[in-house]
Amino acid sequence: MDSSSSINDDPFVDPGLTDQPVDLADDLTLSVGRNAFLTLGTDRLIVLDESFVKAESRHCCGLISNGSKTTRAIPFYNILWSNLSTFDLTIHYAQPTSKNVVRVAIIAYAVEKSERAKATTWIASLLDRAYGESQRRKRIKVLINPFGGKGSAQKWYNRDIEPIFTAARCELSVEKTQFRGHAVEIAENLEVNAFDVIASCSGDGLPHEVFNGLGKKKNAWQALSQIAVVQLPCGSGNAMSWNLNGTDSPSLAALDIVKGIQTPLDLISITQGNRRTLSFLSQAVGVVAESDLGTENLRWMGSARFTYGFLVRLLGKTVYPCDVAVKIEIGDKSAIREHYRHEVTNPASRSERRKAVSSKTVDSSSMSEIRDGLPTLDYGTVNDDLPSGWHLMPYDKLGNFYAGNMAYMAPNAVFFPATLPNDGFLDLVTVDGDISRRAAIQSLLAVEKGTFFEMPHVNYRKIVGYRWIPKGQRDGFISIDGERFPFEPFQAEVHRGLGTVLSKSGHSYEARGVA
């Protein structure tokens, strides 16, 4: 970070320091060392130390200068822990070393015996500001996919993640997955009351397995509502981290998980044949599914393989005929925008959200049954008769059928800007396959520009369930959370707030929405 940057551009600068001296209020300021003070500012810790003036480097004690030679500042969000030992007060924090990397740094000062009682109270106030609604000292079950990130997941965990968790005094239990589906077994056999978080060092595949493992437990409802499932981005697909943390940096995501707020998450039951699967991210048939699953041979291209596959199929005007029945709740884009705006600007507390989830999902007569397993299916399975009020409609020229529970599907790819973690709806996008090539290219560009929602040929609806049936096509790609499923009819149903994740806000994703 360049020391000549303006104060307004420096996140480590307290705005109150620009034109006036630090207010050394008794309850907010602690005298430490010789000629040094620690002050709790509006949104950051302010360190005033006369010895800084002697430092030759602009980086002193791992802190960033704000233009004053004697004053430094650390955002409360970056404070990991603080404690008082026999002689010293120590503060561990996450120090940015580049735009996308933070490393653990420490400052320590001697505290006079006469100040120790005050120091204890001051530390409590510091940690209150640093954590807010977030739980401290989380108990984390860490799952590492040794094949994730081209085999780099273990290295990234050791270098970027574990030091942050340890500095934040998290309790860790680390296990490597040995085979496909191993995380399902681990989650299914996990003691619910032993952990607060299951963190996957992987792509999006391991969180999918974890949700389904918890869903297999006899007390699935309790497990899914009590244990937060999170991703430490170490794979080729890191959509979960982009949505909840706004980054694919392992170290930044680790900090976000330390500070994350428990957030109810809608989960979707997928029934296909005699199998029931939980989905947390998306379901796709058509262009998107083929662009992802149909380009596995092009993994060497990185994320560009998706763009390549998407463009080839759009320009080829590929269609995927099918029959679809949908339970639509909000079908107008303006109404969807208003719904999103209302939910984002009027967030309920977590307890209120969970209470609303319980009352919507479970009635008193079936509460014990639900808590012993997954919710019953209001609309039955794909093998049952079509639910009342659902009408099967032919889509002979469908190009893309894409249902999303989160906004980001890839970096700079916000397909579902109106999604919310727990509004009880799934966002459905359909696009005809015979649109002009110009419109097809515009669609691809609009995703990155954030204008995809506005395009007239993009049908966008909020739904609570659907059934999809292929027609005239014996084989193809169905993607559920990025995993390939058999090319057979399937049905989806939303369960409001059944799962739990950690997010920055507690009620929304990090993508720019439609408000």
Side-chain angles (χ1 to χ4, degrees), residues 47-231:
V47 183
L48 177 62
D49 190 338
E50 296 294 338
S51 67
F52 288 167
V53 75
K54 300 178 182 180
E56 295 180 1
S57 172
R58 65 185 178 90
H59 287 252
C60 179
C61 304
L63 300 175
I64 303 298
S65 171
N66 73 337
S68 166
K69 294 182 179 180
T70 61
T71 305
R72 308 291 185 266
I74 310 172
F76 288 138
Y77 190 85
N78 289 53
I79 301 292
L80 299 171
W81 200 252
S82 181
N83 63 282
L84 186 64
S85 64
T86 304
F87 301 104
D88 295 326
L89 181 151
T90 304
I91 298 172
H92 292 75
Y93 65 99
Q95 165 65 32
T97 59
S98 69
K99 181 180 179 180
N100 294 312
V101 177
V102 291
R103 294 282 184 258
V104 174
I106 302 172
I107 55 173
Y109 287 97
V111 177
E112 297 293 336
K113 186 175 182 180
S114 60
E115 291 286 308
R116 292 184 65 81
K118 181 179 178 181
T120 300
T121 302
W122 185 90
I123 288 174
S125 296
L126 171 64
L127 292 178
D128 284 344
R129 289 165 167 78
Y131 280 86
E133 189 180 344
S134 177
Q135 178 189 353
R136 305 177 194 177
R137 306 186 69 169
K138 296 178 175 74
R139 300 169 301 167
I140 305 176
K141 178 69 176 180
V142 178
L143 303 181
I144 300 177
N145 177 5
F147 307 105
K150 299 180 180 179
S152 299
Q154 182 69 62
K155 179 182 73 174
W156 292 340
Y157 175 75
N158 293 339
R159 184 190 66 192
D160 300 324
I161 298 166
E162 188 275 338
I164 291 174
F165 283 171
T166 300
R169 303 299 191 268
C170 295
E171 297 180 27
L172 304 175
S173 172
V174 183
E175 186 170 351
K176 288 184 182 180
T177 56
Q178 304 298 322
F179 49 86
R180 187 181 183 89
H182 192 195
V184 176
E185 294 183 9
I186 294 172
E188 182 179 5
N189 296 313
L190 200 72
E191 171 55 47
V192 172
N193 294 319
F195 296 98
D196 307 303
V197 179
I198 302 178
S200 297
C201 295
S202 65
D204 296 309
L206 234 57
H208 172 83
E209 290 189 14
V210 170
F211 276 122
N212 280 280
L214 295 177
K216 289 179 177 290
K217 297 179 74 66
K218 291 182 178 180
N219 58 341
W221 194 93
Q222 177 191 358
L224 288 164
S225 63
Q226 187 169 313
I227 301 177
V229 179
V230 302
Q231 179 194 43

Side-chain angles (χ1 to χ4, degrees), residues 1-23 37 39 41 43-50 52-53 55 57-75 95:
M1 185 177 296
D2 184 56
S3 60
S4 63
S5 299
S6 73
I7 290 178
N8 291 334
D9 293 334
D10 189 345
F12 272 65
V13 175
D14 192 302
L17 297 180
T18 56
D19 298 315
Q20 55 188 6
V22 177
D23 180 13
F37 300 89
T39 299
D43 60 356
R44 59 202 69 204
L45 168 65
I46 304 163
V47 183
L48 177 62
D49 190 338
E50 296 294 338
F52 288 167
V53 75
S57 172
R58 65 185 178 90
H59 287 252
C60 179
C61 304
L63 300 175
I64 303 298
S65 171
N66 73 337
S68 166
K69 294 182 179 180
T70 61
T71 305
R72 308 291 185 266
I74 310 172
Q95 165 65 32

